[in-house]
mmCIF file of all heavy atoms in Angstrom:
data_model
loop_
_atom_site.group_PDB
_atom_site.id
_atom_site.type_symbol
_atom_site.label_atom_id
_atom_site.label_comp_id
_atom_site.label_asym_id
_atom_site.label_seq_id
_atom_site.Cartn_x
_atom_site.Cartn_y
_atom_site.Cartn_z
ATOM 1 N N LYS A 9 -17.384 17.200 -7.304
ATOM 2 C CA LYS A 9 -17.758 17.105 -5.896
ATOM 3 C C LYS A 9 -16.904 16.131 -5.091
ATOM 4 O O LYS A 9 -17.080 16.011 -3.880
ATOM 5 C CB LYS A 9 -19.234 16.690 -5.784
ATOM 6 C CG LYS A 9 -20.201 17.690 -6.388
ATOM 7 C CD LYS A 9 -21.644 17.352 -6.072
ATOM 8 C CE LYS A 9 -22.159 16.150 -6.820
ATOM 9 N NZ LYS A 9 -22.494 16.440 -8.226
ATOM 10 N N ILE A 10 -16.013 15.396 -5.732
ATOM 11 C CA ILE A 10 -15.200 14.419 -5.009
ATOM 12 C C ILE A 10 -13.745 14.544 -5.435
ATOM 13 O O ILE A 10 -13.433 15.095 -6.489
ATOM 14 C CB ILE A 10 -15.686 12.969 -5.248
ATOM 15 C CG1 ILE A 10 -15.642 12.602 -6.736
ATOM 16 C CG2 ILE A 10 -17.106 12.789 -4.698
ATOM 17 C CD1 ILE A 10 -15.967 11.150 -7.024
ATOM 18 N N GLU A 11 -12.844 14.010 -4.571
ATOM 19 C CA GLU A 11 -11.426 13.981 -4.885
ATOM 20 C C GLU A 11 -10.795 12.786 -4.186
ATOM 21 O O GLU A 11 -11.411 12.167 -3.307
ATOM 22 C CB GLU A 11 -10.732 15.272 -4.429
ATOM 23 C CG GLU A 11 -10.724 15.460 -2.919
ATOM 24 C CD GLU A 11 -10.018 16.732 -2.481
ATOM 25 O OE1 GLU A 11 -9.606 17.521 -3.346
ATOM 26 O OE2 GLU A 11 -9.897 16.936 -1.260
ATOM 27 N N ILE A 12 -9.568 12.449 -4.560
ATOM 28 C CA ILE A 12 -8.821 11.381 -3.903
ATOM 29 C C ILE A 12 -7.994 11.996 -2.772
ATOM 30 O O ILE A 12 -7.305 12.997 -2.957
ATOM 31 C CB ILE A 12 -7.881 10.668 -4.890
ATOM 32 C CG1 ILE A 12 -8.687 10.069 -6.055
ATOM 33 C CG2 ILE A 12 -7.068 9.595 -4.192
ATOM 34 C CD1 ILE A 12 -9.662 8.987 -5.653
ATOM 35 N N ALA A 13 -8.063 11.397 -1.596
ATOM 36 C CA ALA A 13 -7.270 11.861 -0.451
ATOM 37 C C ALA A 13 -6.303 10.756 -0.026
ATOM 38 O O ALA A 13 -6.627 9.567 -0.109
ATOM 39 C CB ALA A 13 -8.181 12.228 0.707
ATOM 40 N N LEU A 14 -5.114 11.127 0.422
ATOM 41 C CA LEU A 14 -4.118 10.155 0.873
ATOM 42 C C LEU A 14 -4.396 9.749 2.316
ATOM 43 O O LEU A 14 -4.786 10.579 3.145
ATOM 44 C CB LEU A 14 -2.716 10.749 0.764
ATOM 45 C CG LEU A 14 -2.279 11.202 -0.636
ATOM 46 C CD1 LEU A 14 -0.837 11.685 -0.593
ATOM 47 C CD2 LEU A 14 -2.432 10.076 -1.641
ATOM 48 N N THR A 15 -4.191 8.491 2.626
ATOM 49 C CA THR A 15 -4.382 7.987 3.988
ATOM 50 C C THR A 15 -3.053 7.663 4.673
ATOM 51 O O THR A 15 -3.055 7.280 5.842
ATOM 52 C CB THR A 15 -5.250 6.719 3.978
ATOM 53 O OG1 THR A 15 -4.586 5.687 3.234
ATOM 54 C CG2 THR A 15 -6.611 7.006 3.356
ATOM 55 N N LYS A 16 -1.953 7.779 3.961
ATOM 56 C CA LYS A 16 -0.628 7.489 4.506
ATOM 57 C C LYS A 16 0.302 8.663 4.212
ATOM 58 O O LYS A 16 0.107 9.395 3.236
ATOM 59 C CB LYS A 16 -0.045 6.212 3.864
ATOM 60 C CG LYS A 16 -0.878 4.945 4.066
ATOM 61 C CD LYS A 16 -0.902 4.526 5.529
ATOM 62 C CE LYS A 16 -1.482 3.124 5.692
ATOM 63 N NZ LYS A 16 -2.912 3.054 5.325
ATOM 64 N N PRO A 17 1.338 8.867 5.043
ATOM 65 C CA PRO A 17 2.293 9.943 4.765
ATOM 66 C C PRO A 17 3.077 9.674 3.489
ATOM 67 O O PRO A 17 3.357 8.524 3.144
ATOM 68 C CB PRO A 17 3.207 9.927 5.994
ATOM 69 C CG PRO A 17 3.066 8.559 6.567
ATOM 70 C CD PRO A 17 1.661 8.125 6.291
ATOM 71 N N ALA A 18 3.391 10.729 2.765
ATOM 72 C CA ALA A 18 4.163 10.617 1.520
ATOM 73 C C ALA A 18 5.095 11.819 1.405
ATOM 74 O O ALA A 18 5.173 12.467 0.364
ATOM 75 C CB ALA A 18 3.225 10.529 0.324
ATOM 76 N N ASN A 19 5.816 12.095 2.501
ATOM 77 C CA ASN A 19 6.614 13.312 2.573
ATOM 78 C C ASN A 19 8.115 13.084 2.434
ATOM 79 O O ASN A 19 8.860 14.008 2.103
ATOM 80 C CB ASN A 19 6.341 14.022 3.904
ATOM 81 C CG ASN A 19 4.871 14.389 4.070
ATOM 82 O OD1 ASN A 19 4.259 14.894 3.128
ATOM 83 N ND2 ASN A 19 4.317 14.118 5.236
ATOM 84 N N THR A 20 8.564 11.872 2.707
ATOM 85 C CA THR A 20 9.999 11.600 2.700
ATOM 86 C C THR A 20 10.322 10.480 1.733
ATOM 87 O O THR A 20 9.427 9.759 1.264
ATOM 88 C CB THR A 20 10.476 11.200 4.103
ATOM 89 O OG1 THR A 20 9.899 9.923 4.448
ATOM 90 C CG2 THR A 20 10.064 12.244 5.143
ATOM 91 N N ALA A 21 11.623 10.318 1.490
ATOM 92 C CA ALA A 21 12.062 9.208 0.640
ATOM 93 C C ALA A 21 11.663 7.869 1.253
ATOM 94 O O ALA A 21 11.285 6.926 0.540
ATOM 95 C CB ALA A 21 13.579 9.284 0.443
ATOM 96 N N GLU A 22 11.725 7.776 2.580
ATOM 97 C CA GLU A 22 11.327 6.532 3.251
ATOM 98 C C GLU A 22 9.835 6.268 3.081
ATOM 99 O O GLU A 22 9.422 5.118 2.837
ATOM 100 C CB GLU A 22 11.667 6.597 4.733
ATOM 101 C CG GLU A 22 11.349 5.305 5.467
ATOM 102 C CD GLU A 22 11.707 5.368 6.943
ATOM 103 O OE1 GLU A 22 12.086 6.453 7.420
ATOM 104 O OE2 GLU A 22 11.596 4.329 7.616
ATOM 105 N N ASP A 23 9.016 7.336 3.195
ATOM 106 C CA ASP A 23 7.574 7.177 2.962
ATOM 107 C C ASP A 23 7.301 6.613 1.574
ATOM 108 O O ASP A 23 6.498 5.681 1.404
ATOM 109 C CB ASP A 23 6.868 8.534 3.080
ATOM 110 C CG ASP A 23 6.856 9.075 4.497
ATOM 111 O OD1 ASP A 23 7.032 8.289 5.448
ATOM 112 O OD2 ASP A 23 6.655 10.301 4.642
ATOM 113 N N LEU A 24 7.979 7.186 0.578
ATOM 114 C CA LEU A 24 7.742 6.743 -0.806
ATOM 115 C C LEU A 24 8.238 5.324 -1.024
ATOM 116 O O LEU A 24 7.639 4.558 -1.795
ATOM 117 C CB LEU A 24 8.403 7.711 -1.779
ATOM 118 C CG LEU A 24 7.841 9.143 -1.763
ATOM 119 C CD1 LEU A 24 8.546 10.006 -2.801
ATOM 120 C CD2 LEU A 24 6.339 9.161 -1.998
ATOM 121 N N ALA A 25 9.312 4.964 -0.346
ATOM 122 C CA ALA A 25 9.830 3.598 -0.468
ATOM 123 C C ALA A 25 8.845 2.588 0.108
ATOM 124 O O ALA A 25 8.705 1.470 -0.400
ATOM 125 C CB ALA A 25 11.181 3.488 0.236
ATOM 126 N N LEU A 26 8.132 2.983 1.167
ATOM 127 C CA LEU A 26 7.118 2.109 1.748
ATOM 128 C C LEU A 26 5.844 2.099 0.903
ATOM 129 O O LEU A 26 5.219 1.051 0.703
ATOM 130 C CB LEU A 26 6.786 2.580 3.170
ATOM 131 C CG LEU A 26 7.877 2.389 4.217
ATOM 132 C CD1 LEU A 26 7.515 3.115 5.499
ATOM 133 C CD2 LEU A 26 8.122 0.901 4.494
ATOM 134 N N ALA A 27 5.475 3.268 0.402
ATOM 135 C CA ALA A 27 4.224 3.389 -0.350
ATOM 136 C C ALA A 27 4.294 2.695 -1.700
ATOM 137 O O ALA A 27 3.310 2.105 -2.159
ATOM 138 C CB ALA A 27 3.881 4.857 -0.550
ATOM 139 N N TYR A 28 5.464 2.791 -2.332
ATOM 140 C CA TYR A 28 5.598 2.207 -3.670
ATOM 141 C C TYR A 28 6.806 1.275 -3.669
ATOM 142 O O TYR A 28 6.898 0.388 -2.827
ATOM 143 C CB TYR A 28 5.658 3.324 -4.723
ATOM 144 C CG TYR A 28 5.302 2.814 -6.097
ATOM 145 C CD1 TYR A 28 4.061 2.202 -6.327
ATOM 146 C CD2 TYR A 28 6.185 2.918 -7.158
ATOM 147 C CE1 TYR A 28 3.729 1.712 -7.580
ATOM 148 C CE2 TYR A 28 5.855 2.440 -8.412
ATOM 149 C CZ TYR A 28 4.632 1.832 -8.626
ATOM 150 O OH TYR A 28 4.308 1.340 -9.858
ATOM 151 N N SER A 29 7.706 1.449 -4.580
ATOM 152 C CA SER A 29 8.816 0.498 -4.681
ATOM 153 C C SER A 29 9.942 0.878 -3.716
ATOM 154 O O SER A 29 10.306 2.064 -3.620
ATOM 155 C CB SER A 29 9.350 0.487 -6.119
ATOM 156 O OG SER A 29 10.378 -0.440 -6.271
ATOM 157 N N PRO A 30 10.474 -0.083 -2.948
ATOM 158 C CA PRO A 30 10.239 -1.536 -3.008
ATOM 159 C C PRO A 30 9.177 -2.042 -2.029
ATOM 160 O O PRO A 30 8.776 -3.201 -2.092
ATOM 161 C CB PRO A 30 11.601 -2.094 -2.628
ATOM 162 C CG PRO A 30 12.120 -1.117 -1.619
ATOM 163 C CD PRO A 30 11.654 0.245 -2.087
ATOM 164 N N GLY A 31 8.728 -1.175 -1.071
ATOM 165 C CA GLY A 31 7.881 -1.646 0.015
ATOM 166 C C GLY A 31 6.575 -2.260 -0.414
ATOM 167 O O GLY A 31 6.060 -3.191 0.231
ATOM 168 N N VAL A 32 6.005 -1.763 -1.500
ATOM 169 C CA VAL A 32 4.701 -2.250 -1.934
ATOM 170 C C VAL A 32 4.735 -3.730 -2.320
ATOM 171 O O VAL A 32 3.701 -4.407 -2.325
ATOM 172 C CB VAL A 32 4.183 -1.383 -3.110
ATOM 173 C CG1 VAL A 32 4.918 -1.704 -4.409
ATOM 174 C CG2 VAL A 32 2.680 -1.544 -3.281
ATOM 175 N N ALA A 33 5.898 -4.254 -2.600
ATOM 176 C CA ALA A 33 6.007 -5.673 -2.967
ATOM 177 C C ALA A 33 5.549 -6.595 -1.841
ATOM 178 O O ALA A 33 5.065 -7.708 -2.096
ATOM 179 C CB ALA A 33 7.440 -5.995 -3.367
ATOM 180 N N GLU A 34 5.702 -6.140 -0.583
ATOM 181 C CA GLU A 34 5.365 -7.017 0.539
ATOM 182 C C GLU A 34 3.867 -7.311 0.619
ATOM 183 O O GLU A 34 3.468 -8.480 0.711
ATOM 184 C CB GLU A 34 5.892 -6.420 1.843
ATOM 185 C CG GLU A 34 7.409 -6.258 1.867
ATOM 186 C CD GLU A 34 8.134 -7.520 1.432
ATOM 187 O OE1 GLU A 34 7.730 -8.635 1.854
ATOM 188 O OE2 GLU A 34 9.100 -7.408 0.644
ATOM 189 N N PRO A 35 2.984 -6.303 0.584
ATOM 190 C CA PRO A 35 1.557 -6.642 0.565
ATOM 191 C C PRO A 35 1.141 -7.372 -0.711
ATOM 192 O O PRO A 35 0.205 -8.181 -0.682
ATOM 193 C CB PRO A 35 0.852 -5.283 0.683
ATOM 194 C CG PRO A 35 1.869 -4.261 0.327
ATOM 195 C CD PRO A 35 3.174 -4.836 0.732
ATOM 196 N N VAL A 36 1.820 -7.107 -1.820
ATOM 197 C CA VAL A 36 1.527 -7.849 -3.057
ATOM 198 C C VAL A 36 1.731 -9.336 -2.830
ATOM 199 O O VAL A 36 0.892 -10.175 -3.195
ATOM 200 C CB VAL A 36 2.411 -7.346 -4.218
ATOM 201 C CG1 VAL A 36 2.308 -8.294 -5.411
ATOM 202 C CG2 VAL A 36 1.995 -5.937 -4.635
ATOM 203 N N ARG A 37 2.862 -9.698 -2.214
ATOM 204 C CA ARG A 37 3.154 -11.117 -1.956
ATOM 205 C C ARG A 37 2.128 -11.729 -1.008
ATOM 206 O O ARG A 37 1.695 -12.876 -1.190
ATOM 207 C CB ARG A 37 4.565 -11.260 -1.376
ATOM 208 C CG ARG A 37 5.690 -10.914 -2.348
ATOM 209 C CD ARG A 37 7.050 -11.244 -1.740
ATOM 210 N NE ARG A 37 8.140 -10.900 -2.640
ATOM 211 C CZ ARG A 37 8.905 -9.814 -2.514
ATOM 212 N NH1 ARG A 37 8.705 -8.967 -1.500
ATOM 213 N NH2 ARG A 37 9.868 -9.567 -3.380
ATOM 214 N N GLU A 38 1.741 -10.951 0.008
ATOM 215 C CA GLU A 38 0.771 -11.478 0.974
ATOM 216 C C GLU A 38 -0.590 -11.724 0.329
ATOM 217 O O GLU A 38 -1.243 -12.735 0.593
ATOM 218 C CB GLU A 38 0.639 -10.500 2.145
ATOM 219 C CG GLU A 38 1.893 -10.350 2.989
ATOM 220 C CD GLU A 38 2.362 -11.667 3.564
ATOM 221 O OE1 GLU A 38 1.528 -12.368 4.199
ATOM 222 O OE2 GLU A 38 3.546 -12.022 3.365
ATOM 223 N N ILE A 39 -1.028 -10.800 -0.516
ATOM 224 C CA ILE A 39 -2.321 -10.959 -1.187
ATOM 225 C C ILE A 39 -2.275 -12.113 -2.181
ATOM 226 O O ILE A 39 -3.257 -12.855 -2.338
ATOM 227 C CB ILE A 39 -2.734 -9.640 -1.878
ATOM 228 C CG1 ILE A 39 -2.984 -8.554 -0.822
ATOM 229 C CG2 ILE A 39 -3.980 -9.827 -2.746
ATOM 230 C CD1 ILE A 39 -3.111 -7.145 -1.380
ATOM 231 N N ALA A 40 -1.147 -12.288 -2.849
ATOM 232 C CA ALA A 40 -1.010 -13.408 -3.784
ATOM 233 C C ALA A 40 -1.142 -14.741 -3.052
ATOM 234 O O ALA A 40 -1.724 -15.699 -3.578
ATOM 235 C CB ALA A 40 0.335 -13.335 -4.505
ATOM 236 N N LYS A 41 -0.620 -14.805 -1.826
ATOM 237 C CA LYS A 41 -0.717 -16.035 -1.035
ATOM 238 C C LYS A 41 -2.122 -16.204 -0.446
ATOM 239 O O LYS A 41 -2.639 -17.323 -0.380
ATOM 240 C CB LYS A 41 0.314 -16.006 0.104
ATOM 241 C CG LYS A 41 1.752 -16.201 -0.343
ATOM 242 C CD LYS A 41 2.698 -16.353 0.837
ATOM 243 C CE LYS A 41 2.769 -15.076 1.663
ATOM 244 N NZ LYS A 41 3.774 -15.185 2.760
ATOM 245 N N ASN A 42 -2.731 -15.094 -0.029
ATOM 246 C CA ASN A 42 -4.045 -15.143 0.615
ATOM 247 C C ASN A 42 -4.883 -13.970 0.116
ATOM 248 O O ASN A 42 -4.757 -12.852 0.620
ATOM 249 C CB ASN A 42 -3.907 -15.071 2.136
ATOM 250 C CG ASN A 42 -5.268 -15.066 2.823
ATOM 251 O OD1 ASN A 42 -6.289 -15.431 2.236
ATOM 252 N ND2 ASN A 42 -5.279 -14.638 4.082
ATOM 253 N N PRO A 43 -5.747 -14.192 -0.872
ATOM 254 C CA PRO A 43 -6.511 -13.095 -1.470
ATOM 255 C C PRO A 43 -7.311 -12.266 -0.468
ATOM 256 O O PRO A 43 -7.538 -11.072 -0.691
ATOM 257 C CB PRO A 43 -7.430 -13.804 -2.468
ATOM 258 C CG PRO A 43 -6.671 -15.025 -2.853
ATOM 259 C CD PRO A 43 -5.967 -15.460 -1.602
ATOM 260 N N ASP A 44 -7.745 -12.865 0.641
ATOM 261 C CA ASP A 44 -8.501 -12.111 1.630
ATOM 262 C C ASP A 44 -7.686 -10.990 2.265
ATOM 263 O O ASP A 44 -8.250 -10.035 2.822
ATOM 264 C CB ASP A 44 -9.017 -13.040 2.734
ATOM 265 C CG ASP A 44 -10.242 -13.824 2.297
ATOM 266 O OD1 ASP A 44 -10.811 -13.500 1.232
ATOM 267 O OD2 ASP A 44 -10.631 -14.772 3.008
ATOM 268 N N ASP A 45 -6.367 -11.087 2.160
ATOM 269 C CA ASP A 45 -5.521 -10.031 2.712
ATOM 270 C C ASP A 45 -5.656 -8.710 1.953
ATOM 271 O O ASP A 45 -5.146 -7.679 2.407
ATOM 272 C CB ASP A 45 -4.051 -10.471 2.729
ATOM 273 C CG ASP A 45 -3.716 -11.305 3.951
ATOM 274 O OD1 ASP A 45 -4.564 -11.385 4.870
ATOM 275 O OD2 ASP A 45 -2.615 -11.885 4.008
ATOM 276 N N VAL A 46 -6.340 -8.738 0.810
ATOM 277 C CA VAL A 46 -6.588 -7.488 0.093
ATOM 278 C C VAL A 46 -7.384 -6.522 0.979
ATOM 279 O O VAL A 46 -7.239 -5.300 0.874
ATOM 280 C CB VAL A 46 -7.323 -7.753 -1.241
ATOM 281 C CG1 VAL A 46 -8.759 -8.184 -1.019
ATOM 282 C CG2 VAL A 46 -7.268 -6.534 -2.153
ATOM 283 N N TYR A 47 -8.213 -7.095 1.865
ATOM 284 C CA TYR A 47 -8.982 -6.246 2.784
ATOM 285 C C TYR A 47 -8.089 -5.649 3.873
ATOM 286 O O TYR A 47 -8.390 -4.598 4.423
ATOM 287 C CB TYR A 47 -10.101 -7.062 3.426
ATOM 288 C CG TYR A 47 -11.201 -7.424 2.462
ATOM 289 C CD1 TYR A 47 -11.231 -8.673 1.854
ATOM 290 C CD2 TYR A 47 -12.212 -6.525 2.151
ATOM 291 C CE1 TYR A 47 -12.241 -9.014 0.963
ATOM 292 C CE2 TYR A 47 -13.223 -6.851 1.268
ATOM 293 C CZ TYR A 47 -13.236 -8.099 0.672
ATOM 294 O OH TYR A 47 -14.224 -8.422 -0.218
ATOM 295 N N LYS A 48 -6.995 -6.313 4.169
ATOM 296 C CA LYS A 48 -6.070 -5.845 5.208
ATOM 297 C C LYS A 48 -5.135 -4.766 4.697
ATOM 298 O O LYS A 48 -4.797 -3.815 5.416
ATOM 299 C CB LYS A 48 -5.267 -7.030 5.743
ATOM 300 C CG LYS A 48 -4.295 -6.700 6.861
ATOM 301 C CD LYS A 48 -3.615 -7.961 7.359
ATOM 302 C CE LYS A 48 -2.655 -7.664 8.511
ATOM 303 N NZ LYS A 48 -1.982 -8.903 8.998
#
């Protein structure tokens, strides 16, 4: 009765670069500095 749905575009190489490597490193660093940013 349930499935996972995407909330961000994942159609281009640029999309994937933002969604995963290397772009994903930026929110990782922010959350490491301020755990409350996990909500952001």
Side-chain angles (χ1 to χ4, degrees):
K9 298 189 288 283
I10 59 174
E11 65 179 5
I12 301 296
L14 301 184
T15 62
K16 300 293 192 294
N19 301 315
T20 67
E22 183 179 7
D23 291 340
L24 296 182
L26 291 170
Y28 200 58
S29 182
V32 75
E34 299 311 317
V36 169
R37 292 187 181 102
E38 294 302 308
I39 295 168
K41 287 188 295 184
N42 178 18
D44 282 349
D45 277 350
V46 71
Y47 290 98
K48 182 177 181 180

